[in-house]
Amino acid sequence: MNDRYYLEITYEEAQKAASKGQIPVGAVVVDEMGQILAKDHNRVNERNNRTAHAEMLTIFSALEQYDGRMAPTWSVYTTLEPCPMCLGTIIMTNIGRVVWAAPDDYIQTHQLMKAIPYLRKQKLKFGPSPYPDLKRKSGDLHRAYWVGRGQPEKTRPIIESSNQSDD
């Protein structure tokens, strides 16, 4: 199996989330042999729990079922670049690799990996998928969710104004 296979599964999970009115993100945790350890999608509204992100649910499920000492050999696949909370969980559980289909242009967590010395020292392999069609498909699903809710700004980078004061 290759990255594309697992990213397609994350997209299927994201579609499930979208059909339930959730932010459309899906995730899969895979071991070094290619076995899927867990898969899920966002369930924030369904569980009334702001931490019920797809990545969190799959990581916790995998850790409950399998030896967490093997986590450095695991990969997390997700339709959207992980948020800071999910990135923190990935790092603290020592998962070895993360691949996402579409960047999160609003949060841009990959910038944290470059900006914070502690994160730069981690052995996490962290990056986008090399598949433009999956990037487009996952990005379109994410954009449609936010545009449909009247919040298209959540699909664009946050631009800091130089006129803001600290008062």
Side-chain angles (χ1 to χ4, degrees), residues 2 7 14-15 17 33 36 59 67 69 74-76 78 81 88 91 101 111-112 122 124 139 148 162:
N2 61 23
L7 288 168
Q15 288 178 307
M33 300 302 289
I36 294 174
I59 291 166
D67 185 352
R69 291 175 293 182
W74 296 352
S75 295
V76 172
T78 181
E81 179 179 356
I91 288 169
Q111 297 294 342
L112 289 174
Q122 301 308 305
L124 177 65
S162 58

Side-chain angles (χ1 to χ4, degrees), residues 54-80:
E55 300 91 339
M56 302 287 283
L57 296 172
T58 57
I59 291 166
F60 292 147
S61 178
L63 289 169
E64 287 174 2
Q65 300 175 62
Y66 301 95
D67 185 352
R69 291 175 293 182
M70 297 304 295
T73 65
W74 296 352
S75 295
V76 172
Y77 293 89
T78 181
T79 52
L80 188 68

Side-chain angles (χ1 to χ4, degrees), residues 116-163:
I116 300 172
Y118 172 77
L119 298 180
R120 284 195 309 261
K121 287 178 48 179
Q122 301 308 305
K123 295 179 181 169
L124 177 65
K125 293 178 185 147
F126 188 81
S129 114
Y131 307 107
D133 60 318
L134 295 178
K135 175 182 177 180
R136 181 190 42 75
K137 196 162 74 165
S138 294
D140 288 351
L141 186 62
H142 186 69
R143 274 185 293 286
Y145 174 85
W146 289 112
V147 169
R149 282 158 183 73
Q151 296 179 297
E153 71 278 2
K154 295 223 175 164
T155 66
R156 298 186 294 265
I158 297 172
I159 306 298
E160 293 186 47
S161 170
S162 58
N163 296 349

Side-chain angles (χ1 to χ4, degrees), residues 6-27:
Y6 301 113
L7 288 168
E8 290 283 1
I9 293 171
T10 68
Y11 185 76
E12 292 168 10
E13 289 294 323
Q15 288 178 307
K16 291 177 189 176
S19 73
K20 297 176 182 179
Q22 303 283 325
I23 296 173
V25 176

Side-chain angles (χ1 to χ4, degrees), residues 69-99:
R69 291 175 293 182
M70 297 304 295
T73 65
W74 296 352
S75 295
V76 172
Y77 293 89
T78 181
T79 52
L80 188 68
E81 179 179 356
C83 75
M85 175 183 65
C86 294
L87 174 62
T89 300
I90 290 163
I91 288 169
M92 298 312 292
T93 54
N94 294 317
I95 289 174
R97 183 169 178 252
V98 179
V99 178

